[in-house]
Amino acid sequence: MDNKTVQLHDLNFSTSISAEKIAERVEQLGVDLNLDYEGKNPIFIAVLNGAFVFTADLVRQFKGNCELSFVKLASYAGTESSGTIATRIGLEAEVRGRHIIITEDIVDTGNTMFHFLQELAELSPASIEIASLLVKPDALQHELDIKYKGFEIPTDFVVGYGLDYNGLGRNLPDIYSLIH
Ligand code: IMP
């Protein structure tokens, strides 16, 4: 992959995972999901905003019936997690007794996912699993079982493929990491 750099606001980023590599990995995750959820009509719940690209690609790998819902949670300002979940909108789907696959762009400290899991569990779904394109294992502060994981990455701030830095970068097809 040719190394590309991009400037967003005051920061510079360089390519870290190419669009081709992402597509390959998403296809493999699709294979796993098709095996595990055959005939189960799962509900994919996408965590906005970042997961919109990953979710769009992932659900199109799913061959059976499935439903899709969106929630908005936020714990980030700039490049630092604030540790609090500020907002939650959405979740119109009836999740009781249903198989849920939460789709996330990235699990960093795990705060967002930890709290959302608790909230979701109260709605008595049949099962809940997490599909996250990226995981930063060294930043994790909660024990989370992430069954469908795209890539494990170092604790660097990344943008692209849905991920932003203060609003910019979501449209980039590749994933870029911050140049220090
Ligand atoms: P957590 O609660 O610390 O796990 O953070 C989860 C959320 O923070 C993700 O859904 C992203 O929206 C955002 N986030 C975490 N790390 C990054 C990053 O490296 N780039 C962009 N957004 C990030």
Side-chain angles (χ1 to χ4, degrees):
M1 174 178 71
D2 290 339
N3 209 40
K4 291 177 272 185
T5 60
V6 65
Q7 181 176 355
L8 304 173
H9 300 293
D10 54 327
L11 299 180
N12 291 301
F13 298 83
S14 68
T15 33
S16 95
I17 309 174
S18 70
E20 292 73 25
K21 252 180 107 179
I22 298 168
E24 229 171 75
R25 188 69 192 111
V26 172
E27 201 178 320
Q28 290 166 350
L29 291 175
V31 170
D32 295 344
L33 288 171
N34 281 315
L35 281 174
D36 295 349
Y37 288 91
E38 195 186 346
K40 290 188 172 171
N41 189 11
I43 306 178
F44 288 88
I45 298 181
V47 181
L48 294 173
N49 295 327
F52 78 106
V53 180
F54 174 50
T55 308
D57 284 347
L58 191 66
V59 294
R60 283 179 294 170
Q61 297 295 326
F62 195 74
K63 309 285 182 229
N65 286 338
C66 67
E67 293 168 36
L68 185 54
S69 192
F70 299 90
V71 290
K72 185 156 188 165
L73 317 163
S75 73
Y76 253 71
T79 63
E80 294 291 329
S81 177
S82 68
T84 52
I85 310 301
T87 51
R88 170 167 106 56
I89 58 158
L91 207 55
E92 284 148 21
E94 175 59 71
V95 303
R96 177 177 299 275
R98 301 292 303 273
H99 295 283
I100 306 297
I101 305 158
I102 305 171
T103 60
E104 251 291 27
D105 49 357
I106 188 163
V107 174
D108 182 14
T109 63
N111 263 325
T112 309
M113 195 49 76
F114 182 76
H115 289 102
F116 183 50
L117 275 176
Q118 287 183 331
E119 212 175 308
L120 207 52
E122 282 170 19
L123 303 176
S124 308
S127 68
I128 310 176
E129 297 293 352
I130 303 167
S132 184
L133 180 73
L134 303 174
V135 180
K136 296 180 186 172
D138 298 335
L140 262 183
Q141 293 173 13
H142 298 276
E143 284 223 358
L144 285 177
D145 180 17
I146 302 168
K147 188 163 182 186
Y148 307 98
K149 209 181 305 189
F151 303 90
E152 292 194 343
I153 60 165
T155 314
D156 293 328
F157 191 77
V158 292
V159 294
Y161 195 73
L163 290 142
D164 75 309
Y165 166 50
N166 280 350
L168 297 183
R170 293 194 196 278
N171 56 318
L172 298 167
D174 306 293
I175 289 173
Y176 292 70
S177 66
L178 182 62
I179 303 171
H180 294 285

